[in-house]
Amino acid sequence: MNSERLLFRHYAATDFEDYFKLVSNADVMKMVTGKPDLELDARKRLQKMLKINQEYPKIGNFKISLKLDSDFVGHAKLVMTKKNEAEIGYLLMPEHWGKGYGSEIAEALVNLAKQVDEIQSLMANIAPENIASKRILEKQGFVWDYDGEYIGLPAAYYKMKL
C-alpha cells in the first residue's frame, strides 16, 4: 500500500530502531500514553505487531517512509478490534508534523479498509485536546461516538461506517 508521497510496509524485526525512536519521543507519546515508551515495552509491542501482521496479512501495522528519500515518517495501523470492526491509528515523528502526512495516512487506511470484506466499520481514539487528529478523522468521514478512557487517560472515540 502506498499513497501520493508515502510508502507503507509491514514492520520487520529490523525496524526496531526507527520504531523505538518514534515511541520513545516524549512529544509524540504525549497524546498517546502521556509518557515515552521504555525500550523493553517497545520491543514487546513490536513483537506483538509482527504477530498481528502475520495473522492479518492484508492489514496490520505499517512503517511509513517518504517515497522521495525513504526518510522514516512514522507508524500507521489498521487492526481488527472485534468482528467486522477495525481501528485506525497513526504516529508521526515531530519533524513531519504539519505537512499533511496524517491526512494522507488516514485516507490510505480508510481506502485499505474498504477493500477488506470483513471490515464494516472503523474506529479511532484520540486525546480530546488533539485538534489536528480530530480534523483529520472528521475529514475522512469519522464522527464522534463518545468520550471515555484509553489506558487510564481521557480519550475521544470516533466511528465510521464503511
Side-chain angles (χ1 to χ4, degrees), residues 10-23:
H10 277 140
Y11 280 102
T14 55
D15 293 321
F16 179 75
E17 186 177 316
D18 282 335
Y19 179 70
F20 186 60
K21 181 170 58 170
L22 178 70
V23 299

Side-chain angles (χ1 to χ4, degrees), residues 120-134:
Q120 296 174 6
S121 66
L122 293 173
M123 61 83 59
N125 72 68
I126 61 170
E129 65 272 16
N130 191 339
I131 303 303
S133 281
K134 177 184 175 188

Side-chain angles (χ1 to χ4, degrees), residues 45-60:
R45 188 172 298 114
L46 181 61
Q47 287 304 311
K48 184 177 177 183
M49 292 187 317
L50 294 174
K51 287 179 184 174
I52 289 169
N53 288 352
Q54 288 177 344
E55 188 176 345
Y56 297 98
K58 294 180 191 175
I59 60 176

Side-chain angles (χ1 to χ4, degrees), residues 12-156:
T14 55
D15 293 321
F16 179 75
E17 186 177 316
D18 282 335
Y19 179 70
F20 186 60
K21 181 170 58 170
L22 178 70
V23 299
S24 65
N25 184 300
D27 291 332
V28 171
M29 298 306 287
K30 177 182 174 185
M31 296 284 188
V32 182
T33 62
K35 60 183 174 38
D37 277 4
L38 300 173
E39 183 176 351
L40 182 60
D41 295 331
R43 285 192 187 281
K44 288 178 183 177
R45 188 172 298 114
L46 181 61
Q47 287 304 311
K48 184 177 177 183
M49 292 187 317
L50 294 174
K51 287 179 184 174
I52 289 169
N53 288 352
Q54 288 177 344
E55 188 176 345
Y56 297 98
K58 294 180 191 175
I59 60 176
N61 295 278
F62 301 92
K63 177 180 177 177
I64 311 296
S65 302
L66 291 177
K67 280 184 179 178
L68 181 66
D69 60 10
S70 298
D71 189 35
F72 177 61
V73 173
H75 163 81
K77 71 177 181 179
L78 175 64
V79 296
M80 299 303 295
T81 54
K82 58 185 176 184
K83 184 178 170 98
N84 300 321
E85 181 183 82
E87 177 182 6
I88 73 162
Y90 45 86
L91 298 171
L92 303 176
M93 293 298 297
E95 61 266 27
H96 295 294
W97 292 354
K99 298 179 180 178
Y101 296 137
S103 293
E104 198 169 322
I105 291 167
E107 181 178 5
L109 294 172
V110 168
N111 288 337
L112 177 60
K114 289 177 179 177
Q115 298 171 27
V116 179
D117 292 337
E118 297 85 3
I119 302 175
Q120 296 174 6
S121 66
L122 293 173
M123 61 83 59
N125 72 68
I126 61 170
E129 65 272 16
N130 191 339
I131 303 303
S133 281
K134 177 184 175 188
R135 285 189 195 125
I136 287 169
L137 292 173
E138 290 175 345
K139 183 175 156 186
Q140 292 305 315
F142 282 81
V143 295
W144 175 85
D145 191 33
Y146 68 97
D147 288 326
E149 286 189 358
Y150 174 74
I151 60 169
L153 298 172

